[in-house]
Amino acid sequence: MAKKLIELQTIKLGFLGDAGVGKTSLCNVFLGYKFKGDTLMTIGVDKYEARITLKNGKNIKLILLDTAGQERFRSLAYSTLRTVHGIIVVFDLTNRDSFKNIDAHLEEIKENFDNKITILLGNKSDIKESREVSNEEIEQYIKQKKIVYFETSAKLNQGINEAVSYIANEVYDKEDLNINNNILIDNSCVDKDINNNCCNGKKRRKKKKKK
């Protein structure tokens, strides 16, 4: 198939939150994979790539960094956030402790990455019978913290695209992004948007000519 040379700008987003809140499932479902209830916990940092179309029609490369939630990996998670443009903090609506621990994550972000655009996700909204955090509590919290909030369900694929699209557009509008090296990519993949799961297109970097 013919190849087309295009220039892609890159936006890097980091996922932060306690272990088991569903960060990996959110990434996988966003990329178009089927939800699995037995997803293995992340060890260290996992990297995902996709291509999306912003609201201004600009095609960009999106890198998602899924950080481990276990305490022993916390320093690595915070270190990873230094490389991202935006941060997505996730808690589990069925786990009150994960909601309480948001404060620690936001405090760390404020002290070390205060210029990072940050949003909050309440995941597992589909498990209504086990919900431990009320809408009233969340409304009060996000008003106090002045943070944008999305309620999501990886199982039902709800709220994920909206959340990622929102923060990607916010980053693009406010950040001075550097254009990456040229990338050769299938023509059939060029015009797909956030819902078309273009991340599986074959890619290869342009080879430099030998002097």
Side-chain angles (χ1 to χ4, degrees):
M1 182 179 291
K3 302 290 182 177
K4 180 178 179 179
L5 183 63
I6 60 175
E7 289 183 333
L8 294 179
Q9 288 179 300
T10 297
I11 288 178
K12 296 174 71 174
L13 304 175
F15 281 76
L16 180 67
D18 287 4
V21 297
K23 300 185 297 295
T24 301
S25 292
L26 289 170
C27 288
N28 283 328
V29 172
F30 173 76
L31 293 177
Y33 297 108
K34 186 177 180 180
F35 172 79
K36 294 182 179 180
D38 57 349
T39 301
L40 296 176
M41 285 191 177
T42 302
I43 303 298
V45 179
D46 284 341
K47 178 181 177 181
Y48 303 85
E49 294 186 11
R51 285 188 64 228
I52 68 170
T53 302
L54 300 176
K55 61 185 179 182
N56 61 6
K58 182 77 173 181
N59 289 299
I60 64 159
K61 179 180 178 180
L62 188 66
I63 294 179
L64 305 178
L65 298 177
D66 175 20
T67 65
Q70 297 96 320
E71 185 66 33
R72 66 181 184 275
F73 294 117
R74 192 61 50 82
S75 60
L76 175 60
Y78 290 144
S79 177
T80 300
L81 298 183
R82 299 182 187 279
T83 70
V84 304
H85 299 103
I87 302 172
I88 300 174
V89 179
V90 185
F91 73 96
D92 179 352
L93 290 163
T94 69
N95 184 335
R96 174 162 288 278
D97 286 340
S98 72
F99 178 68
K100 291 180 179 179
N101 291 337
I102 297 172
D103 277 343
H105 296 309
L106 294 182
E107 188 63 29
E108 184 72 21
I109 293 170
K110 182 178 180 179
E111 291 181 1
N112 297 285
F113 322 108
D114 196 31
N115 62 329
K116 306 283 188 183
I117 296 173
T118 303
I119 64 173
L120 180 65
L121 267 60
N123 193 36
K124 304 186 184 180
S125 62
D126 55 284
I127 314 178
K128 300 184 184 302
E129 66 278 6
S130 301
R131 184 166 178 145
E132 295 184 355
V133 187
S134 68
N135 289 326
E136 291 74 17
E137 289 176 287
I138 296 172
E139 286 293 334
Q140 182 178 359
Y141 187 82
I142 61 177
K143 184 177 180 180
Q144 175 189 356
K145 298 297 182 179
K146 297 179 180 180
I147 188 171
V148 175
Y149 171 74
F150 290 86
E151 194 160 288
T152 62
S153 167
K155 183 177 182 178
L156 300 180
N157 192 6
Q158 293 178 346
I160 306 170
N161 285 354
E162 292 82 356
V164 175
S165 178
Y166 171 84
I167 191 171
N169 279 285
E170 286 293 303
V171 166
Y172 188 88
D173 289 343
K174 296 180 181 180
E175 295 283 348
D176 181 17
L177 302 176
N178 295 319
I179 295 179
N180 273 7
N181 293 333
N182 292 336
I183 293 178
L184 288 173
I185 197 161
D186 291 345
N187 283 341
S188 60
C189 201
V190 171
D191 296 322
K192 292 188 178 181
D193 60 19
I194 196 171
N195 296 313
N196 290 111
N197 305 316
C198 186
C199 55
N200 292 324
K202 296 180 181 178
K203 304 176 185 177
R204 60 182 178 87
R205 293 199 177 277
K206 182 182 179 183
K207 294 182 180 179
K208 295 182 178 179
K209 294 182 179 179
K210 293 183 179 180
K211 295 182 178 180

